[in-house]
Amino acid sequence: MTETITHPMAMNGKDPRNLRGDPITPDRYYSREWMQREWDHMWTKVWHIAGRQNELQEPGDYIVHNFMHESVIIAKQQDGSLKGFYNACAHRAQKLVWTKGAQDSWTCPYHGWVFSIDGSLIDACDRDDFPQGDPVGKRNLIEVRVDTWGGFVWYTMDDETPPLLKYLEPLPDIYRNHPFETLVRIRQVRVALNVNWKFASDNFNESYHTRTAHPQVPPVIDQDHFTSRYEMFPMGHARIIQMGRPSLRDRVPEGKEHPFKATLRFWGIDPEQYPDYETMAMQGWLDLKAAKRMLWKEKGFLQYENMSDEDLTESPFGVLFPNVAFGASSDGMSFFRWEPHPSDPEKSYFDYWMMAYPIEGKGEYVHRTASKPYEFKEAELELREYDGGLGVMDLEDTVVFQDWGLTEGQQAGWRSRGYQEPYLAAQETRVRRFHEILHDYLDGKPPGR
Ligand code: FES
Ligand SMILES: [Fe+2]
């Protein structure tokens, strides 16, 4: 069962025979030359997430995505469609807007050129003073391609990049039964870290570290490599599917209430009916699926309607090449995105978005691997410096807090004369695969074209 491949496009993501075996050289984690190559050949070719679709409700609503030294505006048009533009004035390139907002037009703060939200110049000072002709009707903002999937707004700077649904293949198919558009983003934190952005790509492409770094997880999600399923896809994306039941090899200390019992009780199952721990984990997990299947509607979990048995309990964790990870459970989505610093290859930004499905009468949400409840409403963006952990202490109950704690030690190791080619476990196959896809981009041969 553990090696089942569910989607016809999936390769076994735990089999190193699906790799070429490209070395993972350390300079990629600190050299400016690598950083420049990544910009030239990858960041300008991939689809980026600018925000959530529900941030763009009315014509004139716009969001801004700053990525490295670049900035892009996405605006809702009069006809309801979305358009995206480089955030650079068509006169002399001044940045037009700095944060999201709602306006019918943008006036450049430098010489006052006025742009409609469709990107066309509609007014300018001294229009009769241009020997080359009135700029109105001639000069417009430069467009980027925009599309939507999963309730996210995406754009790409490249005209040749495959369409979004092809680029994401086959994830839109795999997640077709999840109503991601209805998710509410109840926490939104951006943390400045002292580590190359690829730390997170490596980290999220393996669960080998979780037993050491995240000991609170296995009692709730079985992270054993021999019960998980690993998938890699042609476009460079990957998944691990971990069973939503306690691991049989991690017990909570004697006398401590097992967290899985509360989940069972919530769904009307008496955890004390099982004769032993193994039966509670294995039979309880099957009983949980059946109970969710039976009670979802009366308990208000409307998002369950079209979900499969796997969707209802398991913890699928997807990593979108190159810099997004998402855990899409039946109750919500933990979303992570990491981006390079504009000039320093040893710094990056990490976005942590907690999203959840609204449940009638439920005012707060607690993720199954955390302890603090979040209020159930759209969250404002919080900007943080990591500051040795002090800048994010309120997030100390989250799994990513523990990952952030590893960043600076990892960056130090990459710079060490003691660096060796990684010695990877089979369950870390997706780590090398990430670098092989990265190499393909840098060599001008990205997947899908
Ligand atoms: S740069 Fe925008 S009006 Fe001059
Ligand atoms: Fe982790």
Side-chain angles (χ1 to χ4, degrees):
M1 170 200 112
T2 59
E3 298 299 326
T4 317
I5 302 292
T6 49
H7 196 277
M9 291 183 99
M11 287 176 277
N12 184 343
K14 200 192 173 190
D15 186 347
R17 285 173 302 184
N18 288 321
L19 298 170
R20 293 190 296 253
D22 293 10
I24 305 173
T25 53
D27 51 331
R28 71 192 57 217
Y29 296 110
Y30 53 80
S31 96
R32 279 173 206 278
E33 194 220 318
W34 262 87
M35 190 180 202
Q36 185 64 43
R37 286 172 63 208
E38 287 169 354
W39 170 259
D40 292 341
H41 300 288
M42 189 189 65
W43 295 121
T44 50
K45 314 280 183 210
V46 296
W47 284 90
H48 296 265
I49 291 175
R52 293 285 294 161
Q53 260 174 282
N54 64 6
E55 295 178 89
L56 299 169
Q57 310 240 356
E58 302 295 329
D61 288 353
Y62 62 89
I63 51 178
V64 175
H65 185 227
N66 298 316
F67 182 90
M68 296 182 75
H69 48 274
E70 189 57 270
S71 181
V72 164
I73 315 171
I74 315 277
K76 182 95 159 183
Q77 304 297 300
Q78 293 301 342
D79 66 0
S81 66
L82 301 180
K83 277 191 170 193
F85 313 97
Y86 290 107
N87 190 359
C89 179
H91 176 224
R92 278 171 48 204
Q94 172 74 212
K95 188 165 180 165
L96 281 177
V97 290
W98 289 79
T99 52
K100 63 192 264 184
Q103 280 164 222
D104 293 337
S105 61
W106 302 300
T107 301
C108 178
Y110 204 168
H111 313 93
W113 282 24
V114 183
F115 297 90
S116 153
I117 51 166
D118 69 5
S120 57
L121 181 64
I122 48 178
D123 201 6
C125 289
D126 304 332
R127 285 168 62 178
D128 55 358
D129 186 43
F130 292 86
Q132 64 278 54
D134 184 347
V136 175
K138 268 190 157 174
R139 301 287 283 191
N140 301 313
L141 301 178
I142 303 290
E143 270 194 57
V144 295
R145 288 164 68 198
V146 176
D147 205 345
T148 57
W149 174 73
F152 297 98
V153 179
W154 306 71
Y155 71 92
T156 177
M157 305 177 210
D158 190 65
D159 290 338
E160 308 298 317
T161 298
L164 180 63
L165 290 184
K166 164 76 186 162
Y167 175 87
L168 293 174
E169 209 172 56
L171 299 168
D173 185 27
I174 287 176
Y175 291 103
R176 65 190 178 280
N177 296 329
H178 294 246
F180 290 154
E181 329 71 58
T182 65
L183 287 165
V184 180
R185 186 166 52 178
I186 55 178
R187 194 79 196 258
Q188 191 189 355
V189 185
R190 165 162 273 215
V191 186
L193 296 173
N194 296 311
V195 75
N196 181 271
W197 68 274
K198 293 186 287 299
F199 167 82
S201 307
D202 293 344
N203 180 63
F204 284 120
N205 269 308
E206 51 93 353
S207 292
Y208 181 48
H209 73 279
T210 58
R211 180 156 281 100
T212 310
H214 313 303
Q216 76 279 27
V217 178
V220 197
I221 298 171
D222 178 358
Q223 302 200 299
D224 291 330
H225 71 89
F226 45 84
T227 57
S228 302
R229 201 173 77 234
Y230 301 77
E231 299 171 342
M232 302 192 298
F233 302 105
M235 295 301 288
H237 315 305
R239 293 205 309 160
I240 181 171
I241 297 88
Q242 300 171 323
M243 304 303 126
R245 65 179 181 226
S247 156
L248 295 182
R249 62 170 169 162
D250 301 80
R251 312 287 174 103
V252 297
E254 202 71 40
K256 190 168 175 257
E257 167 86 350
H258 196 289
F260 192 53
K261 290 186 176 177
T263 307
L264 293 174
R265 281 198 201 97
F266 179 86
W267 289 97
I269 302 164
D270 175 12
E272 308 307 332
Q273 69 180 291
Y274 304 113
D276 50 40
Y277 177 81
E278 280 76 8
T279 315
M280 180 193 71
M282 301 305 287
Q283 187 58 43
W285 170 64
L286 297 176
D287 293 347
L288 178 61
K289 288 177 190 286
K292 284 186 160 189
R293 182 69 72 210
M294 199 163 70
L295 301 173
W296 63 275
K297 206 166 195 174
E298 74 182 65
K299 283 191 172 282
F301 288 66
L302 302 183
Q303 74 274 15
Y304 288 10
E305 184 166 12
N306 298 311
M307 288 187 185
S308 68
D309 269 10
E310 177 168 304
D311 296 331
L312 284 177
T313 49
E314 274 41 306
S315 173
F317 196 80
V319 184
L320 297 179
F321 184 89
N323 66 329
V324 168
F326 65 104
S329 75
S330 57
D331 298 328
M333 182 193 286
S334 323
F335 173 95
F336 313 100
R337 190 255 306 271
W338 46 99
E339 298 183 337
H341 183 274
S343 56
D344 187 343
E346 297 190 87
K347 290 186 175 131
S348 56
Y349 298 101
F350 189 101
D351 291 306
Y352 163 66
W353 299 354
M354 180 53 69
M355 299 193 281
Y357 294 107
I359 306 293
E360 174 103 21
K362 213 166 153 224
E364 46 186 38
Y365 177 80
V366 194
H367 189 261
R368 60 178 152 178
T369 63
S371 58
K372 291 183 194 162
Y374 294 160
E375 198 185 339
F376 212 105
K377 64 172 194 351
E378 280 289 341
E380 292 297 319
L381 173 63
E382 304 167 56
L383 293 171
R384 307 287 183 83
E385 290 292 327
Y386 179 62
D387 191 16
L390 294 177
V392 286
M393 281 314 279
D394 56 319
L395 292 160
E396 68 180 332
D397 69 322
T398 64
V399 165
V400 278
F401 179 85
Q402 294 162 324
D403 292 316
W404 297 334
L406 297 162
T407 51
E408 293 178 19
Q410 186 65 64
Q411 190 68 39
W414 288 324
R415 306 268 344 212
S416 171
R417 284 161 51 85
Y419 180 87
Q420 306 179 56
E421 170 62 27
Y423 189 83
L424 298 179
Q427 61 188 296
E428 295 175 289
T429 295
R430 291 166 298 147
V431 174
R432 194 180 303 281
R433 163 86 169 168
F434 162 78
H435 290 279
E436 294 185 348
I437 300 290
L438 174 62
H439 295 165
D440 289 344
Y441 270 92
L442 300 194
D443 291 344
K445 295 179 296 207
R449 41 178 152 168

